[in-house]
Amino acid sequence: GWNYGVDVDTVVWHGANIVPTGKTSAYINLTTAGINNYTLTIIDEYGCEYDTTFTIEVVQSPIPNINDGLDTARICTGEIMILNANYQDPEAEYWWNTGATTDEIMTLVEGLYYVEVTASTIDGNLTCTGNDSIYVSINPHPIPDFDVNKKESCAPLDLQFTNLTTPLDIPLTYIWRIYNVAGQEVFTSDQINPNFFVEEPGSYSVQLIVSTENGCVDSVMRWNFFEVHPQPIAEFSFNP
């Protein structure tokens, strides 16, 4: 049979990120998502030109970043945490291990939370996925409470406070504040069961702020909790 061949003289590539590897070969290095159009022109040894065009669509594998990359999130008992996949693509699909299919969920239960994000090409022929996870830790919430040995007496009043805060099986820090009737802070302490010696007559309010080592904080305020009365002044007159 008859065989006819024409040698290629020149190959011209048109498009972004083309790296020639030889006279008639090249590779395309695409590192960002998008649609890329290319034209390939072949010139043979006689100067005749042949060209073709093609399109490469690059889909960025989703990179969800739950709550800005936290591996562990801590909340206090009774609080609600919002977990957000932090992935900006209105066409993306979401699946959480809770069964939710939204970009964010709410939780108040301790455990590991996982999200898988799926993105597809326009024609649906290519699907890319990415995932992230976070552990939500639930920490005990302190419940401040207290009592005192006396709530009313004459000045000076020696007060011994009893701390009734729960729970008792975790480290806690305390701030006691005592305010006079004008709202001025007149006493403070960080003791568990503080003692105060009050000489000035008046009505006093007491605040106890309790914190855990994981940042759970609560407080209790008792208005006009105790009263200090002035000492009576004995006085008399005598007329013979």
Side-chain angles (χ1 to χ4, degrees):
W2 183 70
N3 187 19
Y4 176 77
V6 177
D7 291 332
V8 173
D9 179 71
T10 305
V11 174
V12 181
W13 300 86
H14 301 278
N17 303 97
I18 298 173
V19 181
T21 58
K23 183 178 180 181
T24 60
S25 62
Y27 74 85
I28 300 173
N29 182 27
L30 296 175
T31 58
T32 58
I35 297 176
N36 303 271
N37 297 311
Y38 295 91
T39 300
L40 170 62
T41 300
I42 299 174
I43 305 173
D44 66 18
E45 59 183 324
Y46 299 110
C48 298
E49 294 187 8
Y50 312 86
D51 57 44
T52 185
T53 60
F54 60 94
T55 299
I56 298 176
E57 182 182 359
V58 178
V59 177
Q60 171 68 53
S61 293
I63 307 176
N65 194 27
I66 300 176
N67 288 34
D68 297 323
L70 286 176
D71 293 324
T72 301
R74 295 180 173 86
I75 60 176
C76 304
T77 302
E79 293 181 345
I80 294 176
M81 170 160 280
I82 296 177
L83 302 179
N84 192 299
N86 281 329
Y87 181 67
Q88 305 300 320
D89 182 353
E91 303 301 324
E93 297 179 355
Y94 301 86
W95 180 84
W96 296 81
N97 59 340
T98 62
T101 56
T102 53
D103 62 339
E104 68 178 25
I105 61 173
M106 294 189 300
T107 180
L108 46 68
V109 178
E110 181 165 338
L112 181 67
Y113 292 83
Y114 172 94
V115 65
E116 181 176 270
V117 182
T118 301
S120 302
T121 55
I122 295 175
D123 58 14
N125 290 330
L126 177 64
T127 297
C128 301
T129 61
N131 58 74
D132 194 18
S133 63
I134 187 172
Y135 189 86
V136 176
S137 173
I138 307 296
N139 298 280
H141 198 289
I143 303 175
D145 192 15
F146 61 86
D147 204 351
V148 71
N149 60 328
K150 296 178 183 179
K151 293 185 180 179
E152 188 175 10
S153 186
C154 295
L157 182 57
D158 189 7
L159 296 174
Q160 178 61 58
F161 281 83
T162 301
N163 197 328
L164 303 175
T165 298
T166 58
L168 301 176
D169 57 348
I170 60 172
L172 298 173
T173 58
Y174 306 94
I175 299 176
W176 297 81
R177 290 174 177 162
I178 297 181
Y179 302 89
N180 62 19
V181 72
Q184 299 169 321
E185 183 181 300
V186 290
F187 296 99
T188 186
S189 174
D190 60 3
Q191 301 299 307
I192 297 176
N193 299 295
N195 176 266
F196 298 104
F197 191 72
V198 184
E199 298 180 281
E200 188 69 26
S203 179
Y204 293 84
S205 301
V206 181
Q207 182 184 32
L208 173 59
I209 303 171
V210 184
S211 305
T212 71
E213 60 184 358
N214 290 315
C216 297
V217 181
D218 204 350
S219 67
V220 61
M221 186 76 176
R222 303 276 171 79
W223 299 99
N224 302 317
F225 186 63
F226 65 89
E227 182 86 18
V228 180
H229 299 287
Q231 284 284 356
I233 301 174
E235 185 177 347
F236 68 91
S237 62
F238 175 71
N239 292 315

